[in-house]
Amino acid sequence: MKHLGFVTRISDSTNVTWQLRSRMDVLRPTLIRIGERVYRKNAIQEQSYQQEEEEDFSAVSPGDCSDEPCDAFVVEETEKGFQCRVEVPSPLYKYIIGKKGETKKRLETETRTSISIPKPGVEGEIVITGQHRGGVISARTRIDVLLDSFRKKQPFTHFLSIALNQPNIQERFLQFKEEVLEKCSQDPGVSSSLFQTPAKLHLTLGTLVLLNEQEIQKACHLLQRCKEDFVDQIAGGKPLTVEVAGVEYMNDDPAMIDVLYAKVHMKDGSDRLQVIADQLVERFVASGLMLKEWDRVKLHATVMNTLFRKDPSAEERNNPMPGKSSCRERESFSGRNILKLFENFYFGEVQLDSVRLSQRFSSDASGYYATSGQLTFS
């Protein structure tokens, strides 16, 4: 068993365990996945930094990890020792620097390295240099885990979507809205502010945190690789014909609903859309651009959402937990009558022709979300 900085590494290069300080943490540790590597998080005392949590590290001699394999990143030998470069979006620099530079100083001291960080707002590489290869590897690993931890706390910026805003669907959705308000407006919590904007009707496949142009381009290129690798074969080079029919809710209690959605299924009865969605998410998770939240994408088109009460442009993560609210101040609504009267409401048939990398809190000329990139089915 080898020691790597503040983690303990076992012989399997794809499994890294963190040495924990309490028996309960050993039984139920927090797991952190970075690419193909899996870490268990140390039990640490955290400090506050600009309303964010700052990770702490256990001191260790850089020599302890000198024999650590470096297949995950490149360590170059220089005249003065070794160096490693890390591509980091500029919004994350502050988490490596820490309050008054404390995190950076601690990393440098404990790994006996020097860490060069670009100026705030300037995109570039963080360069780690040191006389010992093990120290450089330890510093790089710590930075990877630190950044992964804080990236997970960032609000998502983009999402993979399939538009359902074709004219016939919008028309039927507006009819659904009108009839619900006519027949159920007296039900607790029901109001016009709950309804989705017709031009923004869509399926969400997964959410992403893309913090600079390089990460956006990486996501766009991955979409095109997915099209070539499996989407064209599954779709057969043609749009997918689906039917949008029936409504269902996310919560456990129909009297306390936060999200009501329309169900979507392939007209030919196949699972091709589900397979494409699942494989896309799997590929994006493997690339590190998306977090794995569920084993299977829940294909649904949100029609009513309590988040819309305060923010009509709100976009929720895919597959919200049943019974759990993503906003403490959400005011649920009773959907008993809506479900009884509109359980089988038919929104229409539509041909799906693309998956888009959509930008959160945005609109294009059609009223849909601005598109950073897309793959087409035909």
Side-chain angles (χ1 to χ4, degrees):
M1 186 172 291
K2 308 171 184 178
H3 296 284
L4 173 59
F6 57 99
V7 301
T8 304
R9 187 176 182 102
I10 57 180
S11 57
D12 184 350
S13 62
T14 62
N15 293 295
V16 179
T17 61
W18 294 45
Q19 192 168 7
L20 305 176
R21 299 179 181 174
S22 73
R23 294 180 180 177
M24 291 304 295
D25 288 335
V26 171
L27 295 175
R28 288 191 290 270
T30 299
L31 299 181
I32 298 177
R33 180 182 295 274
I34 303 178
E36 297 299 320
R37 294 172 290 161
V38 178
Y39 296 84
R40 288 180 183 170
K41 188 176 180 182
N42 269 330
I44 57 176
Q45 182 177 359
E46 296 180 333
Q47 303 171 346
S48 61
Y49 167 56
Q50 295 184 352
Q51 297 182 343
E52 296 280 3
E53 295 176 349
E54 181 178 344
E55 304 296 332
D56 198 0
F57 304 103
S58 302
V60 66
S61 169
D64 288 343
C65 57
S66 59
D67 58 348
E68 170 63 27
C70 186
D71 55 349
F73 41 80
V74 177
V75 176
E76 302 171 327
E77 187 170 3
T78 66
E79 294 181 358
K80 297 182 179 180
F82 300 88
Q83 75 172 18
C84 183
R85 298 176 178 273
V86 193
E87 291 186 4
V88 179
S90 58
L92 297 181
Y93 293 165
K94 63 182 180 180
Y95 301 120
I96 303 173
I97 297 171
K99 185 178 181 181
K100 297 181 180 180
E102 292 175 358
T103 301
K104 178 175 176 289
K105 291 176 184 176
R106 185 167 65 254
L107 282 169
E108 291 176 325
T109 299
E110 295 179 359
T111 62
R112 300 178 189 175
T113 59
S114 175
I115 302 172
S116 175
I117 302 175
K119 294 181 180 180
V122 178
E123 298 296 336
E125 294 179 319
I126 290 176
V127 181
I128 307 166
T129 57
Q131 294 182 354
H132 303 282
R133 181 184 182 88
V136 172
I137 294 173
S138 178
R140 169 61 191 265
T141 303
R142 295 182 184 208
I143 288 175
D144 281 350
V145 176
L146 185 65
L147 293 176
D148 183 75
S149 175
F150 282 111
R151 179 181 284 275
K152 289 177 179 177
K153 299 174 185 177
Q154 305 298 313
F156 70 92
T157 61
H158 295 73
F159 56 101
L160 295 182
S161 76
I162 298 179
L164 290 175
N165 62 348
Q166 294 78 358
N168 63 314
I169 300 294
Q170 288 197 49
E171 181 179 350
R172 288 290 292 167
F173 169 76
L174 288 172
Q175 182 179 343
F176 168 78
K177 177 181 178 180
E178 180 181 349
E179 292 184 16
V180 167
L181 292 176
E182 177 183 340
K183 300 174 182 179
C184 306
S185 61
Q186 300 303 311
D187 294 350
V190 174
S191 72
S192 61
S193 63
L194 293 173
F195 291 84
Q196 173 68 280
T197 302
K200 282 184 159 58
L201 288 166
H202 68 279
L203 302 176
T204 297
L205 306 187
T207 58
L208 307 93
V209 177
L210 306 177
L211 299 176
N212 59 19
E213 186 60 31
Q214 288 87 341
E215 293 189 343
I216 294 174
Q217 289 305 312
K218 182 179 178 181
C220 291
H221 293 155
L222 182 55
L223 267 181
Q224 294 310 309
R225 290 202 300 272
C226 290
K227 172 179 170 63
E228 297 168 2
D229 291 348
F230 60 86
V231 172
D232 282 346
Q233 181 179 358
I234 297 172
K238 300 178 181 179
L240 301 180
T241 303
V242 303
E243 289 184 314
V244 185
V247 294
E248 189 55 85
Y249 61 100
M250 292 288 187
N251 303 67
D252 296 327
D253 184 357
M256 298 287 289
I257 294 177
D258 282 326
V259 177
L260 187 79
Y261 63 90
K263 294 182 284 188
V264 179
H265 62 271
M266 290 287 298
K267 187 176 182 180
D268 63 8
S270 73
D271 62 350
R272 288 186 296 158
L273 179 59
Q274 184 72 57
V275 171
I276 289 175
D278 290 340
Q279 290 194 20
L280 279 172
V281 170
E282 181 180 344
R283 194 66 75 86
F284 270 78
V285 169
S287 74
L289 289 171
M290 185 181 291
L291 296 178
K292 184 176 180 62
E293 298 181 86
W294 305 91
D295 292 331
R296 183 180 175 89
V297 176
K298 186 176 183 64
L299 296 174
H300 69 284
T302 298
V303 293
M304 298 174 70
N305 191 328
T306 54
L307 286 179
F308 297 154
R309 291 190 195 275
K310 293 185 177 181
D311 183 4
S313 64
E315 174 65 28
E316 188 148 31
R317 288 187 180 274
N318 196 35
N319 298 350
M321 285 290 288
K324 290 190 177 182
S325 171
S326 61
C327 177
R328 294 179 181 177
E329 299 180 357
R330 289 173 76 156
E331 178 190 350
S332 300
F333 66 94
S334 174
R336 292 187 185 277
N337 287 330
I338 297 175
L339 291 167
K340 181 179 179 180
L341 297 171
F342 302 95
E343 181 180 7
N344 298 310
F345 188 90
Y346 188 72
F347 291 89
E349 175 184 314
V350 64
Q351 290 191 327
L352 308 181
D353 59 3
S354 65
V355 176
R356 309 186 192 192
L357 178 62
S358 298
Q359 183 179 338
R360 193 182 186 188
F361 303 128
S362 68
S363 297
D364 61 15
S366 71
Y368 194 67
Y369 299 95
T371 301
S372 299
Q374 65 178 333
L375 69 79
T376 57
F377 295 147
S378 56

